[in-house]
Every structure is written in C-alpha cells, then in structure tokens.
Amino acid sequence: MTISTVPPDRNLPISSMRYDPRAQVETKADSLDLAAAFRMLRRRMVMIIAITVILMAPAAMMISGMKPVYQAWARLIIHQPLAKSLGVEDKSSSSDLLDAKSETERLLSRSIAERVVRELRLNLRPEFNPALREVTFFESIRTKLRGLFDPRKPAEPVRDGIDAVIPEFYRALGVWHEDKSDVVQVSFTTNDPQLAAAVPNRVISIYLDERKGSVRSRLDAAEKWIVQRISEQKARADTAREAARSYQESMDVISKEDAQDERLKSLIELTGREGKIEETRVEVKAVISTLEAADSASVAVQNIALPDDITSKQRDLHAQEDDLARLLELYDGNAEAVVDLRGKIEKSRADLSFATKQYLQTMRAKLAALDHEAAAVQSILDVAHEKRARDALVQTELTRLQRISDKEQTALEKLEDQRRDLADKAKLPGAELEVLSPASVPLAAQGRGRLFYLVSALLAAISAAVTAAFVMEMWDRSIRSFDQIAGMARTIPAGLIPRLARRENPKTIFGQVRVPMFDEAIRTVILTLKQSNGGKLPNSIVVTSAHSGEGKSLIARSLAIELAAAAIPVLLVDGDLRRGELESYFKSGLRQGLNEFLNGHADIRDVVDHHPSGIDFIPSGKFSLQRRVRSNGLAEIIEMAGAAGRIVIFDSAPVLASTDTVLLTALAEKTLVVVRWGKTSRRAVEFGLQQMKSPRNSEIIVAINRVNPEKHALYNFSDSELFSRSLMKYYNFKE
C-alpha cells in the first residue's frame, strides 16, 4: 500500500484505485507452522511473562520455604516365640510367622503413636503441631475464603494436646509389608535426620512392649478365667466322686470282680444241682409210668432198671417157669412135681408183684422228694437271678456314676494342663523380631532439591502461560488487519492508523507536536476517500465506529486538520448529540451547538465557530435537549457547507449506540468507519455495516485505528510489512 500526501487541489481527477487485500494469511494447514507459533509467542510475550511471574511468585515463596526432608526406614520379620512351637505335634501344619497384615496394623495402633509422640516430644515441634506454626499468607486467605461459605468458627488447636499431632505423625509414618514376602518396613519422613532414624526404631521397641503387655493382659485374663473354671470343675468332680461312693455304700455293692466270681459259683452249683434233680426225676417218673402201665410184673421189670432183690426174684421166677416147661414135656399137668412147681411159681410171682409194688411206692415217694427239692432249688435260682438282675442294675448305675466322675476328673486335669501351659506362655515374649536392617541416620535429603523444584515450577508456569496465550489467541476475534474483513461486502480499506504514545497526547494535536507516521496514515485515508469518490473529495463525510472508545473523534479532528493544512475549507460538526467532546479540544466558547440548532433554539450562524487553524467547528451543544424540531437540519448544514465550498465532517455517535448515525450516513456522501485495532470484533463491524446499509452508502470506507506497529509486524498478514522496522526507522529519522 502506498502512502502519499493529498494534492493541493481536491478536485484533481485521479484514476480509481481499489484496495484488494489477500485472503486470511495466517496458516491453517494440517502441519504445525512453527514460524506462526513463534510469532504468536512474540506477540503475547508480555502476557506470557506476566502470567509466568504471577504463577512463579507464590511457587517461589513456597519453594523457598521448603525444608529438606529426610527419610529413614527399618526392615524386620516378626516371628512367634520358638518355644511356642516346641509342643506342636504336627510340625508341617504350624508356622513360626505371625500374620504380617495384623502385625502391620498393630504397628499403626493409636497407643504406639501416642507413646512415640510423648517420648520423643513431637508435640513441641512445629512440624507436627499445627498450633505452633505461624499462619502463612496463603493459610490466612484460605481461612477467610472458607469463612465466607462456612460461618462456623474453626476450633483453635490446643498447643499442648496431641490430638492434632497424631494425624501429622501418621502422615510422616509409613508401615507396609511386601506382598511376596513377610518383611515389614517401617519408615518416617521429617526435616530432622536424627528424628527420622529414631522414630522407626522407637516404634519397633514400643511395639515389642505393647505386644508383650497385650499378650500378658490376655494371659492374665485367660488365667483368671481358667482358675475359676478349675475351681468350678473341681467342685463338680468332687460331687460326682462322692455320689458314686455314697451310692456304692448305700446299695452294699461289692467289688465287681468278687461279685462276679461269687455269682458264677452259686449259679453253677445251683444249675448243676437242678440238672441232676431233673435227671433223677425223669428216671423216676419213667420207672413209675412203666410200672403203672405194665400188666405183668414180669414184663415191667424187663424194661426198667430194678433193684437186685426184685431182679433176683424175677430170675428165680423165670427159672421156675423154664423148669415147669421142661416138666410138662415129660409129665402131664397133674403130676405132683408139676403141681408143686406150679405152686412155687405162683408164690414167686406173688412175691415179685409185692416187691414191685413196694418199689413203685418207693419211687413215688422219691419223686415227691425230688419235686420238693426241685422247687426249693428253683426258688433259690429265682432269688439268685433276681439278685443278679438287681446287682446288674446297681452295677450299671454305679458304672455310670463312676464314668461321670472319671469324666469330670479328666476335664479337671485338662484345665490344670491349660493353666500350666498359660503359666509357661506368660514367661515367653509376645513376639520375636528379626530386624534385617535397623533405621540409620540418612545422609542425604529425600527427593529433589530446591533448584529442581524451582526449575520445574518455572517450566510449569511457562507452559501454563504459553497455553493461556494460545487460548487467548484462539479466542481473539478482534480485527487487526484488512485481511480479516476482506470477505465483507461494500467495504473499502482506508489504511492502518498507528496509535499515539502518551507523550503524543491527542490534546496537543493543534500544537507543534507532529507524528509523521500518523500524519501519513491520515493522508492515506484522505486519498482513499478521494479515490472512492471518483477522484475528488466528497462534500460530506460521516466518521463513526461500532462502539465508543475506538478513536473516531481523533480521526475526525485529524482529517479536518489535514484538509485545513492543505488549504481546503472544512466544517467539523460534533454529531454525537449525547456525549460529544470536541468542544474540549477546540475551546470555541460557544454556548449553543448542534442540539440547539436542531431544536430551533439557535440559527446556523450562531453555532458555527472559526478556529485559528482554519477549521470551522459546530459543537454538540446541550445534551439535555432531546426533541428535534428541524428534522432536516443536518441536510441544511450539508447544503450550506456545499454552497460555501466547505467539506463537512461529522463526528457522529457509534452506530450501534445511536440511530442518529444511521440517519446521518444516509445523508452524507461517504461514511468512514473507524475500527480499533485488537479490540473491535468482526461481528460488531458486520452488524454496524448492516445497520448503515442504504442506496447512498453503497461502499463504506473502513480505517483501522490505534495500530501497535511493533505487534502488528509480528502477524503474518499481508499488510504486516507496512510497519516494518526499516520503515519505522525512516520516519523516526525524518522526524
């Protein structure tokens, strides 16, 4: 883009020229553009440094307050006392290792922690006692913020108490066991290396004492219980033994062995005697039945055993009968010898019958005696059997009572054995420790040094700042180049206007202070206005913006001054009827202005003031006048100025804040929209242009104001080279 001065003759024809910026130049390819990223970092360097400093300030304070941390640890294995496993019969089912998890919890018990705190006086160290610490700035802020949401006042920690020390102690203490082994590790982290080594060793020592005391108290309780059980069991055993003895005495029970022998002898004798009697009875009854059933005594005596006298008589009878048979063979029946012999036979038969009857009576008497004896023996046997049954019941009951007595005695003996076992166990320690490595004083601090944390914090702060810069860059929708508004229809770029420094206060613009780059930019705007109007300057120009504070009044004054310097008559009108400020720059002294003219309170000659710089000026007047009588008053001013050969420049209100600007742009030949570099958003510009859309304003001229030359040169826009270092050096040298 070429910067040139305005020719003296504003009506000199110039060929029309258009500003055709390129499309968006910022790279948006798939690959990372390192050059664009580097330029972004340079643009946001101040913000990155500020964020880094803000983040590093508290981090540096915290790191500077850090103290070296030392950690010491001890490794140990906890066994059961070896003597406890000596009496175990099944060696394979027993183990000399205690449960590592349970012992780990015992090492973390509250009683051990309290003893360590008291013995090592940790409650007197600010590291572990929050009541002794000084309240830091961040802590006070956090307390105040917490008080906003929680009105309850937190309780003040007790300086001499250990309730607040115990949590800090547990944070520094570490007790754990390895999963694949039974090794238990005890560690402690603190700022004092001597204390770091003392705490694990002291924890182990107190653990042994606590373990022994715990086992001893358990054994005492068990022994007290078992002694009471022994006393009760002894009473039960004595009662059972006395019951068996009393029963034996009351029932006159002899010893089991003697009673059995005596009963056997008696039963054998009685049974044998009964058998013999029964056998004799059977024989006697057989004899009696035979003798009673036989018809002839001679026949009966042949089938049974008889006494010798009867047997001899029976033989004699048989011999006489044989002799009779022989005599009958020799003699007849009437022979004397036959008759005598028959007489003898009859006598012998009578004697045999008489002897047999006497024997039968004897057998009957014997049978009666045997029956009486059998009844007596049976009675004795019944009594013996009854006594045997009774003795069996008595012996069974006695055996039951003796068994109960033996059972109670056995239980008593077991309790006695348990009591002796407890007494033996009380002499053993609760656990045996195999300390693999005791805690020793650490020679070096734990973790990294302050420099490492400082560098890490610096890198983290820089990363956060760079991330914030990228986020701000992505959220930035403000206009910084005409490349960003190239897609907007009906716009003509009028150039980039650099910002003025503090020493270049706009109030001194009528004085001797001149800014060459700013003047060249104003001339470029004038040239654009002339080229867009067919080669001559428009008769009326409206200078506006989307929002207030974008520098439209400065541009309007600068245009008027530049035209007046070129000997071109200019009428500058403060068209902001509510917040006009041009009066403070021109100091015209007029008490009436555009508001009075539009309301019919003043004539046009009463509101125009001529400034020594050659500019005619109309102030805005009183802001309280809102009713408009002359609706065509602005058009009259334009016609009056045109008739006088003046160019009217309206410093109007922002287009998005006043409808007067929309009406004014419809009357003027050209509209100049001022956009503030890095502040005005593209959306605001588009909406403002849409508001000013009219047949007369077919094309609207846009100027970007308050451009930061150094930052603008860091962007990759097509007009970034407009404020290159060489060009800025040229203007500085020229100045």
Side-chain angles (χ1 to χ4, degrees):
M1 183 176 65
T2 305
I3 302 176
S4 61
T5 57
V6 180
D9 188 2
R10 67 186 180 95
N11 295 321
L12 181 67
I14 300 178
S15 61
S16 62
M17 183 178 65
R18 295 296 301 271
Y19 181 91
D20 295 326
R22 295 182 296 170
Q24 185 75 14
V25 185
E26 290 288 345
T27 304
K28 294 185 179 180
D30 294 335
S31 60
L32 179 64
D33 188 355
L34 296 179
F38 179 72
R39 285 192 295 270
M40 189 280 298
L41 294 177
R42 290 184 61 188
R43 294 194 298 268
R44 301 286 180 175
M45 186 58 65
V46 176
M47 186 186 76
I48 292 174
I49 293 175
I51 295 176
T52 302
V53 171
I54 292 173
L55 295 178
M56 278 299 297
M61 294 175 61
M62 294 177 62
I63 293 173
S64 63
M66 290 176 58
K67 297 181 180 179
V69 177
Y70 298 91
Q71 186 182 47
W73 60 88
R75 301 175 70 249
L76 63 146
I77 299 178
I78 304 175
H79 299 273
Q80 287 184 352
L82 183 59
K84 288 186 178 181
S85 60
L86 293 179
V88 181
E89 296 179 358
D90 188 6
K91 298 295 183 181
S92 61
S93 62
S94 61
S95 175
D96 62 341
L97 292 176
L98 295 175
D99 186 8
K101 292 184 179 179
S102 300
E103 301 309 312
T104 300
E105 294 300 324
R106 284 192 175 94
L107 285 167
L108 290 171
S109 64
R110 171 81 180 213
S111 59
I112 294 179
E114 290 181 354
R115 285 188 58 182
V116 172
V117 169
R118 288 192 178 96
E119 292 179 7
L120 298 181
R121 306 183 71 180
L122 299 183
N123 56 332
L124 302 180
R125 294 174 176 262
E127 180 183 359
F128 300 100
N129 192 347
L132 302 179
R133 300 174 187 167
E134 296 182 359
V135 180
T136 61
F137 176 73
F138 297 102
E139 287 291 336
S140 61
I141 293 178
R142 186 172 65 178
T143 303
K144 291 180 180 179
L145 293 177
R146 185 181 300 171
L148 297 176
F149 301 97
D150 189 3
R152 294 176 299 178
K153 186 177 181 181
E156 294 292 336
V158 182
R159 298 179 65 88
D160 298 333
I162 63 171
D163 290 337
V165 179
I166 295 298
E168 300 293 334
F169 173 78
Y170 277 127
R171 290 191 187 96
L173 180 67
V175 179
W176 70 96
H177 77 279
E178 301 176 0
D179 295 335
K180 297 182 179 179
S181 67
D182 293 301
V183 177
V184 178
Q185 298 190 21
V186 182
S187 67
F188 194 75
T189 305
T190 180
N191 298 329
D192 187 357
Q194 301 291 336
L195 183 63
V199 170
N201 295 330
R202 191 56 189 157
V203 167
I204 295 172
S205 176
I206 295 176
Y207 162 76
L208 285 176
D209 294 341
E210 293 277 342
R211 195 77 170 85
K212 184 177 180 180
S214 175
V215 173
R216 181 62 189 176
S217 62
R218 291 174 57 197
L219 290 175
D220 291 342
E223 185 176 6
K224 182 179 179 181
W225 175 81
I226 204 168
V227 166
Q228 183 179 359
R229 286 290 310 277
I230 288 174
S231 177
E232 296 174 356
Q233 187 63 34
K234 185 180 292 185
R236 285 194 293 268
D238 294 340
T239 302
R241 189 165 47 251
E242 182 64 24
R245 187 186 62 80
S246 300
Y247 183 80
Q248 185 176 5
E249 291 178 354
S250 63
M251 300 303 295
D252 194 15
V253 181
I254 60 177
S255 63
K256 188 175 182 181
E257 293 78 6
D258 297 340
Q260 187 175 5
D261 294 342
E262 190 67 27
R263 289 194 198 97
L264 286 176
K265 288 180 181 181
S266 177
L267 287 175
I268 290 172
E269 290 177 357
L270 291 173
T271 303
R273 184 178 178 185
E274 184 183 19
K276 290 179 180 180
I277 292 173
E278 185 65 25
E279 184 180 354
T280 304
R281 287 181 71 254
V282 171
E283 292 177 355
V284 172
K285 289 177 69 175
V287 171
I288 293 172
S289 62
T290 301
L291 293 175
E292 289 177 349
D295 295 335
S296 170
S298 61
V299 176
V301 298
Q302 292 178 358
N303 297 328
I304 59 176
L306 297 174
D308 292 340
D309 58 341
I310 295 176
T311 303
S312 63
K313 289 180 179 181
Q314 189 177 12
R315 283 195 303 268
D316 291 342
L317 178 61
H318 287 164
Q320 290 176 358
E321 288 179 349
D322 290 340
D323 291 341
L324 178 61
R326 285 192 299 272
L327 288 178
L328 288 177
E329 290 178 355
L330 297 177
Y331 304 100
D332 59 3
N334 293 320
E336 181 178 0
V338 172
V339 172
D340 290 336
L341 187 57
R342 285 181 176 173
K344 291 179 180 180
I345 291 173
E346 288 295 332
K347 183 180 180 182
S348 296
R349 185 174 287 116
D351 292 339
L352 179 60
S353 176
F354 179 76
T356 302
K357 289 180 179 179
Q358 286 184 344
Y359 182 69
L360 179 60
Q361 291 178 356
T362 302
M363 289 294 105
R364 285 176 179 170
K366 186 178 180 179
L367 180 61
L370 288 174
D371 289 340
H372 183 270
E373 185 179 1
V377 171
Q378 184 63 39
S379 176
I380 295 172
L381 280 175
D382 291 340
V383 172
H385 282 296
E386 183 181 357
K387 186 176 181 181
R388 183 182 179 187
R390 184 180 64 83
D391 290 344
L393 293 175
V394 172
Q395 192 66 38
T396 301
E397 180 66 18
L398 180 61
T399 303
R400 185 184 67 84
L401 293 175
Q402 289 177 348
R403 189 180 297 112
I404 293 174
S405 177
D406 294 340
K407 184 178 180 181
E408 297 294 338
Q409 185 64 30
T410 303
L412 178 61
E413 292 175 356
K414 288 183 178 179
L415 291 175
E416 290 287 350
D417 293 339
Q418 291 179 357
R419 185 181 64 80
R420 287 190 295 269
D421 186 49
L422 287 175
D424 294 337
K425 288 182 178 179
K427 300 176 182 179
L428 298 176
E432 291 182 354
L433 294 182
E434 181 182 353
V435 181
L436 302 179
S437 58
S440 58
V441 178
L443 301 178
Q446 187 76 10
R448 307 288 184 175
R450 295 181 182 177
L451 180 60
F452 174 81
Y453 291 112
L454 190 62
V455 173
S456 300
L458 179 60
L459 294 177
I462 293 175
S463 301
V466 172
T467 303
F470 274 101
V471 171
M472 292 295 295
E473 193 72 17
M474 288 187 294
W475 283 353
D476 188 4
R477 296 292 183 268
S478 60
I479 294 177
R480 299 178 184 274
S481 172
F482 289 108
D483 293 341
Q484 297 173 293
I485 60 175
M488 297 182 186
R490 306 183 304 106
T491 58
I492 299 176
L496 303 177
I497 303 173
R499 68 175 182 178
L500 297 175
R502 290 182 179 273
R503 59 184 179 85
E504 301 163 348
N505 194 318
K507 292 185 178 182
T508 63
I509 198 167
F510 295 111
Q512 301 298 324
V513 178
R514 307 298 299 172
V515 183
M517 290 183 63
F518 183 83
D519 295 341
E520 288 295 327
I522 295 299
R523 296 187 187 102
T524 303
V525 173
I526 295 174
L527 179 61
T528 304
L529 289 170
K530 189 174 183 179
Q531 291 172 344
S532 64
N533 196 37
K536 62 179 181 178
L537 288 172
N539 292 327
S540 56
I541 303 171
V542 176
V543 182
T544 184
S545 62
H547 301 290
S548 61
E550 298 185 358
K552 61 177 181 59
S553 298
L554 174 64
I555 302 304
R557 296 196 311 269
S558 300
L559 289 176
I561 293 172
E562 191 64 33
L563 292 176
I568 298 175
V570 178
L571 175 61
L572 180 60
V573 180
D574 191 352
D576 192 349
L577 301 178
R578 292 182 177 86
R579 299 180 60 185
E581 297 179 351
L582 287 179
E583 173 63 24
S584 62
Y585 294 97
F586 285 90
K587 296 180 174 42
S588 61
L590 295 177
R591 296 183 178 180
Q592 296 177 337
L594 184 61
N595 269 311
E596 286 78 6
F597 173 73
L598 296 178
N599 282 277
H601 297 166
D603 189 65
I604 186 65
R605 292 185 296 273
D606 299 331
V607 297
V608 177
D609 179 56
H610 182 75
H611 193 267
S613 61
I615 301 173
D616 292 335
F617 170 67
I618 298 178
S620 60
K622 294 181 180 180
F623 303 148
S624 59
L625 300 177
Q626 300 295 331
R627 188 176 179 181
R628 313 286 169 78
V629 177
R630 296 179 180 178
S631 59
N632 60 346
L634 297 175
E636 293 178 5
I637 293 175
I638 295 174
E639 292 178 0
M640 182 271 297
R646 294 187 181 91
I647 296 177
V648 182
I649 300 177
F650 290 95
D651 179 14
S652 66
V655 66
L656 299 181
S658 176
T659 57
D660 295 336
T661 302
V662 178
L663 298 175
L664 186 59
T665 55
L667 298 175
E669 292 186 17
K670 289 297 177 181
T671 301
L672 174 63
V673 177
V674 179
V675 177
R676 184 171 177 177
W677 185 87
K679 182 179 180 181
T680 308
S681 64
R682 176 185 173 91
R683 183 179 178 181
V685 174
E686 290 179 345
F687 189 67
L689 295 177
Q690 185 179 1
Q691 293 290 99
M692 294 183 292
K693 183 178 180 181
S694 64
R696 186 177 183 85
N697 283 325
S698 59
E699 291 181 336
I700 297 177
I701 302 172
V702 179
I704 300 178
N705 185 31
R706 301 193 67 178
V707 179
N708 188 335
E710 296 179 355
K711 288 188 176 181
H712 186 73
L714 298 176
Y715 287 90
N716 195 22
F717 297 119
S718 60
D719 50 10
S720 297
E721 293 298 325
L722 181 64
F723 296 107
S724 62
R725 294 182 179 275
S726 59
L727 188 60
M728 287 189 289
K729 289 182 179 180
Y730 168 76
Y731 281 112
N732 291 334
F733 175 76
K734 186 176 180 181
E735 184 181 3

